[in-house]
Each structure stands twice: as structure tokens, then as C-alpha cells.
Amino acid sequence: MDSSRGSPDELKKTNKGRSKTNCMAKESLLKQKSPAEFFAENKNIAGFDNPGKSLYTTVRELVENALDSAESISQLPDIEIIIEEITKNKFNTMIGLVHRERVDEELYDDFETTKAREKRLAKEARMQEIQAKNVAHGKKLKEPPALKSGKGRGEASFFKVTCKDNGRGMPHDEIPNMFGRVLSGTKYGLKQTRGKFGLGAKMALIWSKMSTGLPIEILSATRGQNYASFCRLDIDIHQNIPHVHLHEKRENKDKWRGAEIQIIIEGNWTTYRSKILHYMRQMAVITPYAQFFFKFISDISEKNLTIRFARRTDVMPPAPLETKHHPSAVDILLIKRLIAETSKQTLQQFLQHEFVNISKSYAERLVGEMGPDFSPKMAVKSLTSHQIVRIHQLFRQAKFDDPSGDSLSPAGEYNLRLGIIKELQPDMVATCSSSPQVFEGHPFIVEAGISLGGKDVKQGLNIFRFANRIPLLFEQGADVVTRTATKKINWSSYKINQMQDKIGVFVSIVSTKVPFKGTGKEYIGDDITEISSAVKSAIKQCCLQLRSKIVKKLQARERQERKRNLTRYIPDASRAIMDVLEEMAQNYEPKRQRHDKEDDELLNKVASKEITEMTFRESLSQFVEQVDYEMALEYATQSGASEEPRELVYLSSLEGSYRYVDLGSPVFVFRLIT
């Protein structure tokens, strides 16, 4: 044996030491990421794909949080959004960065060599010559090709976004965690919510830290609070904890209540201006009980913009209620979590109180079906993993009543109709609301509205989609609403021209779990039969209402046209009849009986000028009116109408403060003042 290699025991110790070192090396490769760090690296998941989309998503998150805050205390929302453009010099001044002139021009992305500049100028000159020749020959001018922007990649645009609301405000001590700790909030649980990821303004804060490095500022005051809370903070990405710069209580003389959030981010207003304004307009449609004030401020006065979306009604939908899980919609992990969090002691109590549609007797039957290892009185905390799997399997196979839609809060036909009328001013509008239906144990309601004509509406289909009362603006082509409206509805059968008429299609889906597709959560697929059928049925119901209105309108137009044509020939017919009668009266011989007695009387009246051409005109006009009335009455009888067409009436609310009770239905709301 070679002594230089050492003894077997020494070799074992050496190998053991190496293996420990290798294990430690492998363990050192394992790293953890905080939720804040994960979303910072995958910001596109939350809608922060680029500066323009980030500006849009920031506005959206702030507006929706403001709406939730006001609605949670049954306060009519009054929301103010201000976007202020910040120039590069102003931004540098804000962060204390001294302006420095370029030294080496070739380092920059917008650098242009002398040769490239000459080539570009020559190309521009040729284009101008071609345009001049086209003008001289009367040809239509073509748009010149877009020139490469001289703006470098590092030349960012910054915006200060401010959102102010009149909601419940935030408790002083909870503000840092509400904004500076990702995946912490008040909206978790089985409930219809506007939020998509539970991130809200936290993701905007992360984007602010990534693009500007500046903190967010929050001013808040709650009801009965004699001070306002001010907090300036950012977020520690790696530890997912708030980094508070200033947190203090300030005087609140006006007893203001609500929240004001101010954040400075990189953005792109030019590209996403239309999206932001479209979002605000659609939000005004689905929440006509809210008032929105939007303002854009720039150093260039021509770019300034101010829009007020006025409140149309003070009838708010009820706040959505938190509900319990349906047995068919749970998985093994969720059952384990419910067991860990429940305050119930026995298995029967757990089944009865932690799930919907399980009564005491039904819980006993379920336990009996689970097998001899289960009993109604057994401790629920003592269930093993295998027993939990058995419960899950039974939940998937057993029969349960569908959950009700009592926990849902749709906009309501009344609000949807008002929103459409307020924003689009259409010629016709029809709305429909489905009864609660179920998809994989989750209730959902589909509301639809179809409008014809209106202000700023393009020809063809204009589709407006909403999920849990928020607009969906992206990935429209794959959405169930778009596919249904374009491929599954025969518009011509409802007297609607799909290509020429200005058609507005509004569909709102509310549910405790909206089945979004893709990471962006911007559309709902058409592969879900229950939702696809409900959307198609709701749109068809609206189309049927519109067809009835259109047919009546066409009938009225035909009657008007027929009446106009008949009236047009009354003077000629009267004149011709009078000429014939006058000629007969001149040749009339009283002694010879050539006519009946009535004819003789008529000729005598013509001869004595008692009957003139105007007499016939009046008689024929009365006859046309009588025929028109009888035909309209016959049509109404055939179509089943027992009364004259009704027009919708909207009553303005009384001024002042009153106690009242709202009695509502899908088509009206009656307020009883007490």
C-alpha cells in the first residue's frame, strides 16, 4: 500500500470532510426572495410592462383603491386624479442632481455622425421634392415616414400622480404596512373584489423606487379623528418591509376625511393618453354614482387637460359580502388552512359552519359516508393528511346545492343604463341582468347593455368589458365578450347592421372568483361554457328589446312616409274632383232625373259655392289622419301592446339630508323618504 495516500481511516475522514464541504457549498447556492423582490423582477405580471403601461396601471390602482375606500362606508365617491408632467431638469432639481453638459457625444445613443446627418438631410430633401410634385399634380399627399427620434433611451419622462378621495381613510399606525409590505392587506378572503393581485399601490411604490428612487407620500384622516396622518416612505425590496422617512400627525382643522396619495414615477403620457382617458370614461359608465375629476398638467399649455365626469345618480349598489367556500370549490391545501384557522371543535361543526350549503343533517350524512375512521364528534384538529384527502374526494363526488348570488354586488341595470346614457348619449339602449349562475362552485352574475348611436361612437361594434366593476382594456380579441359579440350573435336578425350602425356592447361580470386568462388578468376566455352561455344569453336579451324598439320605429317611419305621400297628393286630388263636379254642375238639369237625390244635393252645393276645393282638402286630410290612427291601433293590438309606449323617467334626488329606505328591482329603484 502506498503510505503517501494515507490509511483507510484517514481517507474516510478526508472524504467525509469533502462531502460536508460540498454539501455546505450546495446549501450556499440556495437563495430566497421576498415577495417585493419577486414582483420587482416580474413587474409585467402586475401590469408594469413599460413606462406607459406603468403610468396607466398606477392611475388604475389608485382609482380603484379610492372607490373601494368610499364604498366601504357607503359614501358617494368623489375622486380627484391629477397627473403632472415633470421635465428632466425639474426632476434633477428635485433629487439634487446637478446638470452636466455632455463631454463625449459619441457615448450617447442619439449621437449622429456627419455622414449619417448628411444622408438623413438628403433623404428629407428628396421627400420634400416628391411631396411638392404631388401637390403640383393634384395628387393625394402621403404621410411621410416617421423619422428616427433623436431622443435617447436614457431620456425618460417623469410624472407626479396624485389621487385624492373621500373614503374611510387609514389608521395612523397601519399606514406603513399597508403601503410598504407586499401581500399584506384587508381584501383577502372569499369576496367580490376589484383588485387582481392584492398589490394595489404597493406595486406603484415598487415601480417608483425602481424608476425614480423617490418615496411615496400619504395623507389620511379617518372619521372622528381630530388629526391627519402624514407618511413619507419607500420599501425595502429585499426584506419586504417599509422604510419610513417621516410619519407624523398633523392638524386637521377642516375635519377632512379620506386619503391623498402622491407618487412620482417614470411614465409615457403620449402613448397611453388614450388608454387612461378611455379607462376613466368606462369607469364613469360602470359607476355613475361616483364623481371623477381628472386633470393633466404640463409646461406646454396645449397639452393641459381637464375633464369632470359628473355624478348621475346617488343610488349605490350594496357592498359585496364575504362568504364561505362552497365544498366543490376547495382543494386539499385550502381544507388544511380552514382546519388550522377554524374555532370549531368537532368535524360536524367544522363542515356545517365553514362551508356553504351544508346543514347539520347533511354534515352527519357526509361524515357517515367517509367511513368508520370518522365520527361527527371527533376533533377536527386531529384529522390526518389521509383523512383530509378522503374529505376532499367526497366533496368532489357528493351533490351540493349551488351557492346563491347574495354575496355579489353587480352594478345593477339602473346604474348601467344611466352610465351608458350619461357617457354615450345613444339613440337607443337596452339592458339585461342574468340570475346568479355557478362556475366551479363560484357564483357569478352577467349584466349586459346594448346601445345604438351616440356621441364619440365609431361605426360597427364598440365593446366595453367589465369584471367586478372595473374596465378591461387590454387583450380584447381573445375575450369571451368579444368572441360572442363578433361570432355568435346574428345582428341582422335583430334589425341591426353590424358594419354601419354605431353599436355599443357593454358586458359586466361579477363573481367571487373571475376566471381570468394569462398573467395579465385582462381577459376571460370563451372556453368556460357557463360564462360563455350566460354572456350570449344576456346580449340576446338586450337585442330582443332593441328589435322591438327598432320595429316600432320602422313602423312609425313607414306610417309617416305613407301619410306624407298621401298628404302630398291631396291638393291635386281635390282640384281634380272639384273640376269634375263643377263641369257636372254646369250641365245639371233639375227636371231630368239623372242622379240620386244625394248627388243632386251635392251638385247644388257645388253650384252655390257651398262646397269648394278647400272643403275636399279638409275632408281628405281628416280621412288620412283617421286611416293613420286606425293602422297604428291595429299594429298595437297585433303586437300585444295595451298602452302607449313608455319613456324612462329619472327623478333627481332631493337636496338636504333625509332618512330613507331603497326598494329596488332590476329596472327601477324607489326611494321612500321617512
Side-chain angles (χ1 to χ4, degrees):
M1 182 181 291
D2 187 358
S3 59
S4 64
R5 294 179 64 185
S7 64
D9 292 338
E10 289 175 345
L11 288 173
K12 288 181 180 179
K13 290 181 180 179
T14 303
N15 291 334
K16 191 175 182 180
R18 287 176 181 172
S19 64
K20 284 185 177 180
T21 304
N22 291 336
C23 289
M24 291 176 65
K26 288 180 180 179
E27 289 176 359
S28 65
L29 296 176
L30 297 176
K31 296 182 179 180
Q32 291 184 345
K33 289 184 179 180
S34 71
E37 191 175 4
F38 170 80
F39 282 106
E41 294 178 359
N42 300 276
K43 56 186 183 295
N44 60 300
I45 294 177
F48 287 76
D49 306 58
N50 52 64
K53 183 79 176 291
S54 299
L55 178 62
Y56 161 78
T57 307
T58 297
V59 171
R60 171 177 179 163
E61 294 287 1
L62 295 180
V63 168
E64 289 164 14
N65 283 351
L67 283 171
D68 287 336
S69 178
E71 291 174 1
S72 65
I73 56 173
S74 299
Q75 174 69 43
L76 290 171
D78 198 344
I79 298 170
E80 182 179 300
I81 288 283
I82 299 176
I83 302 176
E84 182 180 352
E85 188 175 25
I86 299 175
T87 61
K88 179 183 175 182
N89 291 336
K90 187 176 180 180
F91 176 76
N92 289 343
T93 303
M94 291 173 62
I95 62 176
L97 186 64
V98 179
H99 177 69
R100 177 177 171 80
E101 296 292 339
R102 295 182 179 183
V103 177
D104 188 351
E105 289 284 349
E106 294 185 12
L107 282 174
Y108 295 91
D109 184 62
D110 58 356
F111 173 74
E112 190 177 35
T113 63
T114 305
K115 186 176 181 180
R117 183 173 180 275
E118 290 175 353
K119 186 177 180 181
R120 177 175 59 82
L121 292 175
K123 186 176 180 180
E124 290 178 1
R126 286 197 302 271
M127 289 300 300
Q128 289 177 359
E129 289 178 8
I130 293 172
Q131 293 285 56
K133 289 180 180 178
N134 289 337
V135 171
H137 290 84
K139 294 182 180 179
K140 187 178 180 181
L141 288 177
K142 295 182 179 180
E143 286 291 331
L147 299 175
K148 183 179 177 182
S149 175
K151 187 176 182 181
R153 288 171 295 180
E155 192 76 15
S157 300
F158 303 98
F159 300 88
K160 179 166 69 175
V161 182
T162 306
C163 180
K164 185 177 182 180
D165 65 65
N166 60 338
R168 68 161 64 238
M170 293 164 280
H172 179 81
D173 296 331
E174 295 182 12
I175 292 177
N177 282 330
M178 293 182 77
F179 285 89
R181 194 183 297 272
V182 174
L183 301 184
S184 65
T186 59
K187 296 182 182 180
Y188 297 116
L190 191 61
K191 184 180 179 181
Q192 173 192 325
T193 59
R194 282 194 173 94
K196 298 189 298 180
F197 295 97
L199 292 175
K202 303 181 188 71
M203 194 61 218
L205 174 55
I206 291 175
W207 173 247
S208 173
K209 187 175 179 68
M210 294 174 67
S211 60
T212 68
L214 294 176
I216 188 173
E217 293 185 355
I218 304 107
L219 184 66
S220 174
T222 60
R223 180 179 293 173
Q225 189 174 284
N226 58 3
Y227 63 88
S229 303
F230 177 80
C231 188
R232 183 185 297 118
L233 61 88
D234 62 25
I235 186 171
D236 187 322
I237 299 291
H238 302 291
Q239 298 186 50
N240 191 32
I241 58 174
H243 178 211
V244 179
H245 297 248
L246 178 63
H247 194 191
E248 64 182 9
K249 297 178 179 179
R250 295 182 174 180
E251 192 176 7
N252 187 13
K253 292 182 179 180
D254 300 331
K255 295 183 179 181
W256 167 74
R257 183 192 67 221
E260 182 177 343
I261 302 169
Q262 189 176 101
I263 187 168
I264 298 175
I265 60 172
E266 181 184 350
N268 189 329
W269 169 256
T270 305
T271 343
Y272 275 76
R273 175 184 183 274
S274 60
K275 287 290 184 184
I276 293 173
L277 296 180
H278 199 192
Y279 169 80
M280 295 301 301
R281 188 186 188 194
Q282 290 200 32
M283 188 59 82
V285 169
I286 202 67
T287 55
Y289 52 87
Q291 178 168 276
F292 299 98
F293 176 79
F294 180 86
K295 190 172 186 179
F296 179 81
I297 303 173
S298 173
D299 290 343
I300 304 173
S301 58
E302 290 79 8
K303 294 172 65 176
N304 290 346
L305 178 69
T306 301
I307 303 176
R308 183 181 297 277
F309 299 92
R311 180 179 292 114
R312 179 65 185 263
T313 176
D314 60 358
V315 178
M316 293 176 60
L321 304 174
E322 188 168 350
T323 184
K324 298 174 183 177
H325 293 274
H326 192 268
S328 64
V330 297
D331 53 38
I332 295 174
L333 287 176
L334 181 55
I335 295 174
K336 287 183 177 180
R337 181 169 67 82
L338 292 175
I339 290 174
E341 296 175 354
T342 187
S343 60
K344 303 303 176 184
Q345 301 297 320
T346 67
L347 176 58
Q348 178 186 312
Q349 292 174 338
F350 170 72
L351 296 176
Q352 182 181 347
H353 294 281
E354 296 296 337
F355 300 94
V356 294
N357 296 348
I358 297 183
S359 62
K360 182 178 180 181
S361 60
Y362 206 74
E364 292 177 353
R365 292 175 61 188
L366 289 172
V367 174
E369 189 67 22
M370 291 175 189
D373 295 338
F374 296 84
S375 67
K377 301 298 183 183
M378 71 183 298
V380 69
K381 303 285 186 182
S382 67
L383 290 171
T384 65
S385 295
H386 292 85
Q387 289 175 320
I388 293 175
V389 171
R390 173 60 184 146
I391 293 174
H392 178 245
Q393 290 176 347
L394 183 59
F395 278 176
R396 297 190 65 170
Q397 297 170 359
K399 181 174 61 177
F400 300 95
D401 291 336
D402 289 336
S404 68
D406 296 342
S407 61
L408 301 179
S409 177
E413 281 192 68
Y414 176 78
N415 280 335
L416 181 60
R417 180 182 289 268
L418 278 183
I420 295 172
I421 293 173
K422 179 170 79 80
E423 293 304 320
L424 270 67
Q425 300 176 13
D427 302 324
M428 289 185 186
V429 63
T431 55
C432 170
S433 179
S434 73
S435 58
Q437 301 183 53
V438 179
F439 163 68
E440 292 185 353
H442 293 277
F444 71 91
I445 293 175
V446 174
E447 296 175 299
I450 306 292
S451 67
L452 292 178
K455 182 182 67 173
D456 300 330
V457 183
K458 297 182 295 184
Q459 283 186 329
L461 293 176
N462 298 265
I463 296 175
F464 303 83
R465 303 170 294 134
F466 305 91
N468 281 351
R469 306 212 317 257
I470 61 171
L472 303 177
L473 268 63
F474 295 90
E475 301 182 57
Q476 177 172 298
D479 191 84
V480 60
V481 178
T482 306
R483 289 182 177 270
T484 301
T486 56
K487 298 181 178 180
K488 299 180 182 179
I489 302 295
N490 184 6
W491 295 96
S492 60
S493 64
Y494 301 102
K495 309 293 184 182
I496 299 173
N497 190 317
Q498 182 178 346
M499 304 304 295
Q500 296 182 2
D501 290 338
K502 297 178 178 180
I503 311 167
V505 180
F506 302 80
V507 176
S508 172
I509 301 173
V510 296
S511 177
T512 51
K513 183 181 179 181
V514 177
F516 290 113
K517 297 286 186 180
T519 55
K521 294 192 174 184
E522 285 287 349
Y523 76 99
I524 303 168
D526 66 340
D527 56 337
I528 303 170
T529 306
E530 296 89 342
I531 293 181
S532 179
S533 299
V535 169
K536 182 179 179 181
S537 176
I539 293 177
K540 280 190 169 184
Q541 288 294 323
C542 294
C543 289
L544 286 171
Q545 296 178 40
L546 285 180
R547 183 172 67 178
S548 176
K549 295 181 180 181
I550 293 170
V551 168
K552 290 180 180 178
K553 189 174 182 179
L554 290 175
Q555 290 282 346
R557 188 180 300 167
E558 289 175 3
R559 290 198 307 271
Q560 290 290 337
E561 185 67 23
R562 185 170 55 249
K563 182 178 177 181
R564 186 163 47 248
N565 290 336
L566 290 174
T567 305
R568 184 190 307 165
Y569 294 110
I570 285 177
D572 295 335
S574 301
R575 191 178 306 108
I577 293 172
M578 195 63 194
D579 290 343
V580 172
L581 290 176
E582 285 179 345
E583 185 177 351
M584 292 176 64
Q586 290 176 0
N587 300 326
Y588 175 64
E589 297 180 7
K591 296 181 180 180
R592 300 179 63 181
Q593 295 292 329
R594 294 185 178 180
H595 308 285
D596 295 336
K597 186 177 181 181
E598 293 179 356
D599 294 340
D600 291 338
E601 292 179 0
L602 175 62
L603 293 175
N604 287 328
K605 289 181 179 179
V606 169
S608 62
K609 304 297 183 181
E610 188 177 345
I611 292 179
T612 63
E613 182 180 333
M614 290 304 299
T615 307
F616 286 106
R617 287 194 182 188
E618 292 174 2
S619 298
L620 288 174
S621 297
Q622 291 176 5
F623 178 75
V624 169
E625 292 286 348
Q626 181 65 24
V627 170
D628 181 68
Y629 173 78
E630 289 176 355
M631 292 188 69
L633 188 62
E634 181 181 358
Y635 170 76
T637 304
Q638 291 175 354
S639 60
S642 59
E643 55 188 52
E644 293 186 3
R646 294 169 294 179
E647 293 292 332
L648 293 169
V649 177
Y650 300 102
L651 302 179
S652 302
S653 60
L654 298 173
E655 298 294 333
S657 178
Y658 299 91
R659 297 182 61 186
Y660 56 83
V661 176
D662 283 343
L663 305 174
S665 81
V667 294
F668 75 92
V669 173
F670 178 73
R671 174 161 290 177
L672 179 63
I673 307 295
T674 59

